[in-house]
C-alpha cells in the first residue's frame, strides 16, 4: 500500500501537548483532591504512604485511568486535546485507534515517564511528534493545519 498524505493535518508538537496535559491534570485534580480530603481529611497530605487505602488507590489510579480511556475511546481526545483541537489517530491509517491501542498508549505513559520523562520529551525531537507511548501504541496526535507545518503521512507499513 502506498503512503498517503494529509495536507489538511499537522502533527501536534511538544508545547501544545504540554498545554493540553496541563488542562487535563487540572481537571483531574479538581475532582481527585476534594474526594481525597473528604475521605481522609488533612492527614492525607502528611502521610508518607504510597497508598493510604483502597479509596486512595481507586481515586488516584483507577478514576483518572478510566476518565482518560473513556474519553479516548469515545472522542479520541481528552478535554485538553479538544481545547487545542487535537485528536489521537492510528499512525498507519489515520483512522480511529483501537481500544487495545488506547490501553497500550495509557500504560506507555508510565514507560515514557520512568526514565526522567525522556519518553515524553521525545515528542519535541521526533519527526512525527510521537512520544514513546505513541510509538508503543502506533498512534500520532494531529490537528487541522494552522500555519506553515509539515504534512502528516500515514503509511500502512510504518508502525514506529
Amino acid at each position: 500500500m502506498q503512503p498517503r498524505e494529509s495536507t489538511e493535518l499537522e502533527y501536534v508538537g511538544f508545547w501544545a501537548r504540554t498545554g493540553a496535559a496541563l488542562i487535563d491534570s487540572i481537571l483531574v485534580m479538581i475532582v481527585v483532591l476534594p474526594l481525597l480530603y473528604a475521605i481522609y481529611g488533612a492527614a492525607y497530605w502528611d502521610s508518607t504512604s504510597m497508598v493510604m487505602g483502597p479509596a486512595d488507590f481507586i481515586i488516584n489510579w483507577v478514576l483518572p485511568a478510566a476518565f482518560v480511556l473513556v474519553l479516548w475511546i469515545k472522542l479520541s481526545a481528552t478535554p485538553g486535546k479538544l481545547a487545542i483541537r487535537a485528536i489521537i489517530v492510528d499512525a498507519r491509517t489515520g483512522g480511529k485507534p483501537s481500544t487495545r491501542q488506547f490501553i497500550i498508549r495509557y500504560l506507555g505513559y508510565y514507560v515514557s515517564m520512568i526514565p526522567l520523562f525522556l519518553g515524553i520529551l521525545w515528542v519535541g525531537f521526533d519527526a512525527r511528534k510521537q512520544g514513546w507511548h505513541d510509538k508503543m501504541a502506533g498512534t500520532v496526535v494531529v490537528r487541522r493545519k494552522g500555519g506553515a507545518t509539515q504534512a502528516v503521512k500515514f503509511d500502512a507499513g510504518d508502525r514506529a
Side-chain angles (χ1 to χ4, degrees), residues 88-98 101 128 137-140 154 159:
I88 304 161
V89 298
D90 183 279
R92 293 179 312 146
T93 67
K96 185 176 180 123
S98 67
Q101 282 176 286
R128 296 176 78 189
T139 59
V140 290
F154 300 108
R159 287 226 8 122

Side-chain angles (χ1 to χ4, degrees), residues 89-159:
V89 298
D90 183 279
R92 293 179 312 146
T93 67
K96 185 176 180 123
S98 67
T99 299
R100 180 179 184 274
Q101 282 176 286
F102 284 133
I103 292 168
I104 291 169
R105 188 175 193 273
Y106 189 85
L107 295 173
Y109 272 118
Y110 294 102
V111 174
S112 295
M113 289 186 278
I114 288 172
L116 304 173
F117 289 80
L118 185 59
I120 303 291
L121 295 171
W122 201 264
V123 171
F125 304 100
D126 188 79
R128 296 176 78 189
K129 305 300 180 196
Q130 289 177 294
W132 292 353
H133 53 289
D134 290 308
K135 290 187 179 292
M136 290 172 64
T139 59
V140 290
V141 178
V142 298
R143 65 179 168 192
R144 294 219 178 274
K145 277 190 175 181
T149 56
Q150 173 185 353
V152 173
K153 295 181 181 179
F154 300 108
D155 182 3
D158 181 18
R159 287 226 8 122

Side-chain angles (χ1 to χ4, degrees), residues 25-37 59 63-64 67:
S25 296
I26 290 169
L27 291 174
V28 168
M29 285 184 353
I30 287 170
V31 173
V32 166
L33 296 181
L35 285 173
L36 291 171
Y37 186 79
I59 293 167
L63 187 65
F67 168 74

